[in-house]
Amino acid sequence: MADVNAGVEYKINVDGNLFLLDNKKYQLLQAILDTGSLTTASKKIKVSYRTALNYIEKMESALNVKIVNTTKGGKGGGGGTSLTDDGYSILKECKKINAIMELHKEVNEIEADIVDINTEKGVMTIKMNQFEISAPLNRNYAIGDKILALISYDNIFLMLEPQSSSIRNVLKGQIIEMKLQNEIIRVKVDVGGVVLCSDITVSAEKELSLKIGTEVYVGFKAMSVATLKL
């Protein structure tokens, strides 16, 4: 099987003007903020000065805003390049997306069928084997559609007993594996023939006295389930 990877582009919208900012241009904005120099920034991201300037010109033209300010130095130097308020706002939005992606970069993937749709409550029921959960309703889906459900590891909570809360999905399972990874314990739970991963702290593992074979309840909100039609 081929090794498949997906890159990221940031869809920037400034007063209705759109621009797809790729990772290289994001790195350029970050490097300008860090170094205060377009020349140094271009070297840092390994592109020519002309290419870096072209990146800026394309962004400014498409978004119709000034992204950088450039000051010229005298004989002794002192010139530099800095981000404008708009330029910094664009970088900040990209950094927010990066932070969210980093937080949710590892997800449980579940191929399932839609078995019920409740338009009044705005939810749909999806099922794989004995595994059945609620997810936000997508009106482009229909009963019988096959979908891929994605649930981030850190959105899954482990409980010894079910509790009253806003969590719609609470399922009983059994721990089949536990591994310590960078001060976080990755717990695998078999729930109705589907294995779900949950990341918990070492202190949580001790408080709950978890071990392989322990029966637990996994819980997650319906809104934490993202879906794609297959």
Side-chain angles (χ1 to χ4, degrees):
M1 182 179 292
D3 184 14
V4 179
N5 291 289
V8 175
E9 286 188 328
Y10 309 88
K11 187 176 182 180
I12 306 301
N13 185 328
V14 178
D15 296 331
N17 298 307
L18 301 176
F19 184 78
L20 286 178
L21 190 149
D22 61 24
N23 191 53
K24 203 71 171 178
K25 296 179 182 66
Y26 162 76
Q27 290 177 349
L28 176 62
L29 296 182
Q30 182 64 57
I32 290 172
L33 179 67
D34 293 340
T35 67
S37 165
L38 184 58
T39 300
T40 306
S42 63
K43 292 178 180 177
K44 188 173 182 179
I45 69 168
K46 297 180 173 59
V47 300
S48 68
Y49 176 86
R50 183 65 242 176
T51 297
L53 188 60
N54 182 255
Y55 285 168
I56 297 298
E57 290 172 348
K58 283 185 176 180
M59 285 187 278
E60 290 184 337
S61 176
L63 297 173
N64 196 30
V65 293
K66 188 79 172 167
I67 291 177
V68 300
N69 283 322
T70 301
T71 56
K72 294 183 178 180
K75 293 182 179 179
T81 302
S82 60
L83 297 180
T84 63
D85 288 343
D86 286 325
Y88 182 76
S89 293
I90 291 169
L91 177 62
K92 184 174 72 172
E93 289 304 308
C94 294
K95 290 168 77 81
K96 284 164 58 177
I97 294 171
N98 277 354
I100 293 171
M101 290 178 61
E102 182 66 23
L103 184 62
H104 299 290
K105 66 180 180 180
E106 294 184 291
V107 296
N108 294 285
E109 300 183 13
I110 304 161
E111 292 189 18
D113 299 313
I114 298 175
V115 296
D116 185 58
I117 288 177
N118 189 321
T119 54
E120 184 178 344
K121 293 184 178 180
V123 297
M124 55 188 183
T125 303
I126 63 175
K127 186 174 183 180
M128 177 183 178
N129 300 329
Q130 301 303 310
F131 180 85
E132 187 174 294
I133 62 172
S134 296
L137 175 63
N138 186 318
R139 296 186 184 275
N140 294 320
Y141 297 169
I143 292 175
D145 283 346
K146 293 187 178 296
I147 65 168
L148 180 66
L150 306 174
I151 313 167
S152 176
Y153 292 177
D154 58 308
N155 276 338
I156 294 182
F157 303 93
L158 300 183
M159 302 168 282
L160 296 179
E161 297 291 341
Q163 302 173 14
S164 298
S165 70
S166 62
I167 297 175
R168 180 178 291 271
N169 296 301
V170 178
L171 306 165
K172 190 175 183 179
Q174 186 175 55
I175 295 175
I176 59 173
E177 183 179 300
M178 298 177 67
K179 284 187 177 180
L180 179 64
Q181 299 180 350
N182 300 321
E183 304 304 319
I184 295 294
I185 296 177
R186 179 152 300 165
V187 183
K188 290 185 178 181
V189 183
D190 186 326
V191 181
V194 174
V195 176
L196 294 179
C197 292
S198 173
D199 285 345
I200 64 172
T201 62
V202 173
S203 60
E205 180 267 337
K206 290 181 179 178
E207 289 173 7
L208 296 175
S209 299
L210 300 180
K211 60 184 178 180
I212 294 174
T214 300
E215 289 190 344
V216 295
Y217 290 86
V218 299
F220 51 94
K221 292 184 178 181
M223 290 301 296
S224 68
V225 183
T227 57
L228 300 169
K229 189 174 179 180
L230 296 175

